Structure formats: C-alpha cells, structure tokens
Amino acid sequence: MPHSQSKSKKSAAGVGSIRKKTVTRRGKEYTYWEARYTAGFDPNTGKQVQRSISGKTQKEVAQKLKAVTAAIDAGTYTAPCKMTVGEWLDSWTQDYLGNIKPNTATVYLSVINTHIKPGIGTLKLDALSPHAVQNFYNNLGKGTAEKEGLSPKTIKNVHGIFHKALQQAVVNGYIRTNPADNCSLPRITKPELKPLNENQIRDFMNAIHGHRFEALYLVTLFTGMREGEILGLTWDCVNFDKGTILINKQLQKVRNKPEYRIVSTKNGKSRCLTPASFVMETLKQVRYQQQENMRLCGKQWKNTEFVFTDELGQHLKHRTVYNNFKLLAAKIGSPETRFHDLRHSYAVVSIQSGDDIKTVQENLGHATAAFTLDVYGHVTEQMKKESAARMDRFIQAVYP
C-alpha cells in the first residue's frame, strides 16, 4: 500500500510540534514545555535543521513557535546565536578593528573590558533586548558604593563602541536588529571653553620669551595645530617659498608604553595652512638654531627631520611640553588653562578678526563647518550683538 503524500515528503520548513517535558535536577522534578521546529535544510547534507524553543507554559511556547514559523515563511528568520555578548565582543575586537588607529583600538579594548563585559557580557547575544541595553547604560551612570558613576560623555563613548560592535553582529546575521539603536543617553553638558583673551595672550607671549619651547608655543598659538600635529611636524611639510605648512600626520604616544609613533591626523585628512608671516619667520629661526645644534653635536645628532626637537635632534615628548606649558600658564595667573586652549584661542581670534567659518574650519581640520559653528557659536553670537550695537550707533548719528 503506498504511503500517504504527507509521509512521502519531508516536512516543510517551519512545521513544529509542542510537548510537555519533565527533568530532574538535584532530586526535584521540573516541568516545562518545548516546541521543535524545522528551521530549513542543511545545504551540504540536505537533512532538516531541527531547533527547539522552551518555556514555562504551553501558551508561551505556542506564541514563540508562531513567531518563528511566521519569520521562516517571511524569509526573515535568523538562527539562534549561541554566543554571549562577551564572546562576540572578543571576536569583534580580534577580527574587525584592523582599520582603526592602534590607540583607538586600545581605547576600545579598555572600554569593553572595563565597562561592557562586566556589565552585560554574560547575556546571550540573541537575547539582548533594547531594555537590557538601556538598563546597562543607566547603571553606568549610577555607579556603585565602590566607584562613582560614569560621566554622560563617557557613557556616550561606551554606547558608540557597543553600538558599532552590535551593528556588525546584525551584518553577520547573528541578530536581526541592533538593540542599542534607540537607547536614551544622558545629556552631555558642554564644558565652557576658556581661550586666552587678548591681554592673556600678551602676558603669555611675554612669559614664554626666551623659553626653550617659545617657538613651539607661538606656532601652536597662531596656527591652531593640535599637540600631536605640532610635535609631529617635519621640515618637508614646511614650504618657506610658498609660506605654507602641510599638516598630514601627528606624533602619538603609545598607551601605557614608553613608545611613540607617527599616525594620520585626527580625521585622516591632510590640510594646508597659510599662516601669518610671523609664524614662518619664527620657523626660520627654529631652522637656523637647529642647524647650529646639528653642527655642535656632530655625530651625536639624530637626524629625525622633526621641526621641534631637543638639543640632540630627537622629537619632544608630550608630557614634557605639557608640564612646561602648565608652569607658564600658572605664571600668568591662569593655571586652569590647558595646552589645547591655545587651539581654541587661535580659533576665537580668527573669527573675531573676520575670518569666515569655512576658512576657520579648514585651518583647524574640523570635519564640517557646522561642527566649528557648534563649538565656537558663542563667538559669532557676540559678534552679531556687537554688529547690532554698531548699527544702532550709526542710526543714531544719521537719524535725528
């Protein structure tokens, strides 16, 4: 007698059955419900791929089975992932960070090992919900009895790294959607910029007169270069004939190691500055002094081609330059001023002197003019008020 058609063919993908099961753990019986379903067929063997879903009640399992079979029918089904969040993060950092700067990769690893894995790493990757991620971020801000909560900016940085890792999991098909997509992050209060004003700039220039890093501080103040960019500047990027400086790299200290390396600029793009002639004249004096040092040192001179070096031609160290700067800042009565504030001072002076935002953006190496406006918008707002005041004075003078 021929078999029925339903038995002669393989079950279609998505067909499932529910049954009650009992297990014994430590001498006690536990009952649960399980549904088994066909998730598809193995392309190599042609055999069915069987998976299971479990739950406390028959109704719960039936709902889960219905959702799974609907996803299979719609072609949106994603196979369960056995990895935990921590295991995926280990895989992601090992295989997907090859195109970022070494120091950035080090920061990623530190954030993952310090915050993400301890907080949420044991959860199953495919069971990670938006609420679980939101709760994780909330707890980071609260802190514990042993340590303070993280700042809103740090939480945002944690989110950026975690979201990026989860998005790769989506691309790989481990999860259907990114559970960190719509999380609510704490509001970041922008720190008040503290650029040097005109009187402070004058005092600073007097304070550094004759200092061994005088030229470095002056060039930084009147070009807005970042610390790594000024320390990584080489002579092949200084064109005295055209009066330009090419910014195409920076000197970076390797985290937790006594090593330095040359890396690309912050946004990975080069920019060409045409600074004030005062800057180029300062660099000519640096070049002359360096040639004198080279002559005096003879074979001891290290021909590194850096513009700013020590007496033997080796590059300067960030900490040395920064510590000397802080002493000088305190000397002019502004101990809270940071080296980076020289860059802010340049930007503010440029805007107040009439440079358009696009020019300031390009000189600073910002990605967009909108970002420059966002950072220095208070300066343009003040300029608008001053413009209105000038117009008022003009109208009063011509209108009786």
Side-chain angles (χ1 to χ4, degrees):
M1 182 176 179
H3 293 288
S4 66
Q5 185 177 9
S6 61
K7 292 184 179 180
S8 62
K9 293 185 177 181
K10 294 178 180 178
S11 298
V15 173
S17 59
I18 301 176
R19 60 179 176 174
K20 192 175 184 179
K21 299 190 73 174
T22 301
V23 294
T24 302
R25 293 174 182 169
R26 296 181 180 179
K28 187 176 180 180
E29 288 189 347
Y30 294 88
T31 301
Y32 67 97
W33 291 84
E34 181 187 70
R36 294 189 64 79
Y37 64 94
T38 302
F41 298 92
D42 189 313
N44 297 319
T45 64
K47 295 181 178 180
Q48 294 178 350
V49 176
Q50 294 287 323
R51 301 193 187 281
S52 63
I53 299 171
S54 61
K56 294 181 180 180
T57 65
Q58 184 178 14
K59 182 179 179 181
E60 177 189 352
V61 174
Q63 290 175 338
K64 289 181 178 179
L65 180 61
K66 183 178 179 181
V68 168
T69 55
I72 292 174
D73 292 340
T76 59
Y77 172 77
T78 301
C81 178
K82 296 181 180 180
M83 280 189 293
T84 63
V85 171
E87 288 169 342
W88 165 241
L89 289 171
D90 288 340
S91 177
W92 181 69
T93 54
Q94 180 178 342
D95 299 327
Y96 293 94
L97 299 186
N99 61 340
I100 65 175
K101 296 175 182 177
N103 266 18
T104 303
T106 301
V107 171
Y108 279 22
L109 284 169
S110 176
V111 168
I112 288 169
N113 292 327
T114 305
H115 302 300
I116 304 178
K117 287 172 69 174
I120 204 168
T122 58
L123 294 183
K124 288 289 186 181
L125 181 61
D126 62 354
L128 190 62
S129 67
H131 180 74
V133 178
Q134 182 66 61
N135 189 55
F136 165 59
Y137 292 153
N138 294 345
N139 288 335
L140 287 179
K142 292 176 183 177
T144 64
E146 290 77 23
K147 59 181 180 180
E148 294 182 1
L150 302 183
S151 68
K153 184 177 180 181
T154 302
I155 294 174
K156 183 179 180 181
N157 292 339
V158 172
H159 167 72
I161 296 169
F162 195 30
H163 184 276
K164 191 173 183 179
L166 292 175
Q167 194 57 41
Q168 187 62 54
V170 173
V171 173
N172 287 15
Y174 299 145
I175 51 178
R176 288 185 57 192
T177 59
N178 191 329
D181 269 345
N182 299 306
C183 288
S184 177
L185 300 177
R187 183 177 180 181
I188 297 176
T189 302
K190 292 183 180 179
E192 181 183 356
L193 297 183
K194 295 182 179 179
L196 300 176
N197 59 37
E198 186 174 338
N199 289 332
Q200 288 175 315
I201 290 176
R202 185 181 296 109
D203 292 341
F204 180 70
M205 293 178 70
N206 289 331
I208 65 176
H209 183 67
H211 192 278
R212 61 175 175 150
F213 298 145
E214 177 184 6
L216 185 151
Y217 295 141
L218 287 175
V219 174
T220 304
L221 177 60
F222 294 114
T223 62
M225 278 192 266
R226 299 179 177 91
E227 184 181 34
E229 294 171 347
I230 192 73
L231 294 178
L233 184 65
T234 50
W235 285 115
D236 61 312
C237 294
V238 179
N239 191 319
F240 289 113
D241 293 332
K242 293 182 178 180
T244 60
I245 301 174
L246 177 65
I247 311 298
N248 62 1
K249 58 186 174 297
Q250 56 181 329
L251 181 67
Q252 186 180 77
K253 186 182 182 303
V254 179
R255 280 178 171 266
N256 304 319
K257 293 182 180 180
E259 302 171 11
Y260 292 82
R261 59 183 163 222
I262 290 292
V263 298
S264 63
T265 57
K266 188 173 182 179
N267 63 2
K269 297 179 181 179
S270 301
R271 67 186 190 276
C272 188
L273 308 180
T274 305
S277 59
F278 169 82
V279 172
M280 301 309 293
E281 288 301 318
T282 300
L283 289 174
K284 285 182 180 179
Q285 294 173 21
V286 172
R287 184 63 169 163
Y288 172 78
Q289 184 59 56
Q290 194 175 91
Q291 289 173 338
E292 281 295 297
N293 291 341
M294 191 185 307
R295 183 180 61 81
L296 293 173
C297 290
K299 293 183 179 180
Q300 289 184 306
W301 179 262
K302 306 295 182 182
N303 192 22
T304 60
E305 285 300 314
F306 286 109
V307 171
F308 297 103
T309 67
D310 61 16
E311 293 78 5
L312 295 177
Q314 299 192 30
H315 69 75
L316 299 176
K317 296 180 179 179
H318 297 67
R319 179 53 56 185
T320 303
V321 171
Y322 186 83
N323 287 344
N324 277 269
F325 173 81
K326 293 298 289 183
L327 291 174
L328 292 165
K331 187 176 180 180
I332 65 171
S334 185
E336 72 283 356
T337 299
R338 308 162 304 159
F339 184 89
H340 196 73
D341 289 324
L342 294 180
R343 177 173 165 85
H344 292 317
S345 303
Y346 165 78
V348 170
V349 169
S350 295
I351 294 171
Q352 291 177 335
S353 299
D355 288 350
D356 63 90
I357 290 297
K358 184 64 178 176
T359 298
V360 176
Q361 171 228 328
E362 292 176 349
N363 286 341
L364 292 174
H366 286 163
T368 64
F371 178 83
T372 307
L373 269 174
D374 185 49
V375 175
Y376 301 106
H378 66 288
V379 181
T380 57
E381 286 300 317
Q382 182 61 34
M383 291 171 66
K384 288 178 183 178
K385 294 177 181 178
E386 293 171 355
S387 175
R390 287 194 299 271
M391 185 58 67
D392 276 335
R393 289 194 294 270
F394 175 78
I395 292 173
Q396 291 172 5
V398 299
Y399 190 74

